[in-house]
Amino acid sequence: MWGVWIGDGPMRKQLLDRVAKRGLTDRFRLLGHRDDVLELLPAFDVFALASRYEGLPCALVEAMNAGVPAVATAVNAVPDLVTAGETGLLVPPGNAQLLGGAINYLLDEPTQAERMAENGRRQLSDRFSPHALGAVLDDTYRGRYPWM
C-alpha cells in the first residue's frame, strides 16, 4: 500500500523527515502542487482529509465527485458533506489512530467503500449541481433564505 499526498506547504521537509524516520520512504509519495488533481483522483482507493479546521473543503468535494470513498475529520462544514456511514466516514480531529482505522476499514470493505462513494457522488450532484446552486443564489438575491 502506498501513501500519496498531493499538495505542498511550509511543512514539507518536516513531513518527509517523519516519513524517513518511520522507514516509509519506499511507500510514500509527496507529489507537491499539481494542476491535474482531478485526473489523479480516480486512481485513489481512499481519500483522507485530516484537517483540524476547514471551511467547505474543495479537495473533499472533488474527491467525492470523482467517486473516491472519503474519510474526514468532523470539523466545521465537513459533516455537511460527509454523512457518517452513508457518504463516507467521519473521525474526530487529532486522532490518528481512528483516522487510520477508518482508512483501513474502507480498504478492507470495498463493497461498503463503493456504496459510500456512490452515495457521496449522488449527494453532491443533487446539492451542488449548477441548477441547485443557481436556485440558492437566486433566492439569496431575492431575499429568500430557504436554509433558515
Side-chain angles (χ1 to χ4, degrees):
M1 177 172 38
W2 280 53
V4 178
W5 288 33
I6 299 174
D8 213 350
M11 297 182 73
R12 178 187 180 96
K13 182 177 176 349
Q14 291 168 297
L15 176 62
L16 292 174
D17 288 347
R18 280 187 175 187
V19 168
K21 183 178 179 180
R22 288 173 172 76
L24 299 173
T25 305
D26 61 332
R27 295 175 52 198
F28 179 87
R29 296 294 178 260
L30 178 58
L31 302 183
H33 175 79
R34 299 286 299 245
D35 291 324
D36 59 346
V37 174
L38 295 179
E39 288 81 31
L40 298 175
L41 282 172
F44 283 59
D45 295 314
V46 174
F47 177 86
L49 183 74
S51 299
R52 293 186 178 174
Y53 176 84
E54 279 290 342
L56 181 68
C58 292
L60 179 58
V61 171
E62 290 170 346
M64 291 174 70
N65 197 47
V68 181
V71 174
T73 49
V75 295
N76 306 96
V78 172
D80 293 338
L81 292 172
V82 178
T83 303
E86 291 301 317
T87 62
L89 297 176
L90 291 171
V91 298
N95 191 322
Q97 187 173 359
L98 285 178
L99 180 70
I103 292 168
N104 283 333
Y105 175 80
L106 291 179
L107 292 172
D108 292 342
E109 300 292 337
T111 302
Q112 291 299 319
E114 186 176 323
R115 177 186 63 79
M116 288 181 216
E118 182 54 37
N119 287 344
R121 185 186 340 215
R122 188 173 31 259
Q123 172 187 282
L124 286 178
S125 67
D126 292 345
R127 289 180 60 200
F128 295 98
S129 70
H131 176 74
L133 293 175
V136 169
L137 185 61
D138 183 61
D139 285 342
T140 301
Y141 279 121
R142 294 177 191 274
R144 299 183 304 248
Y145 306 102
W147 57 89
M148 298 180 130

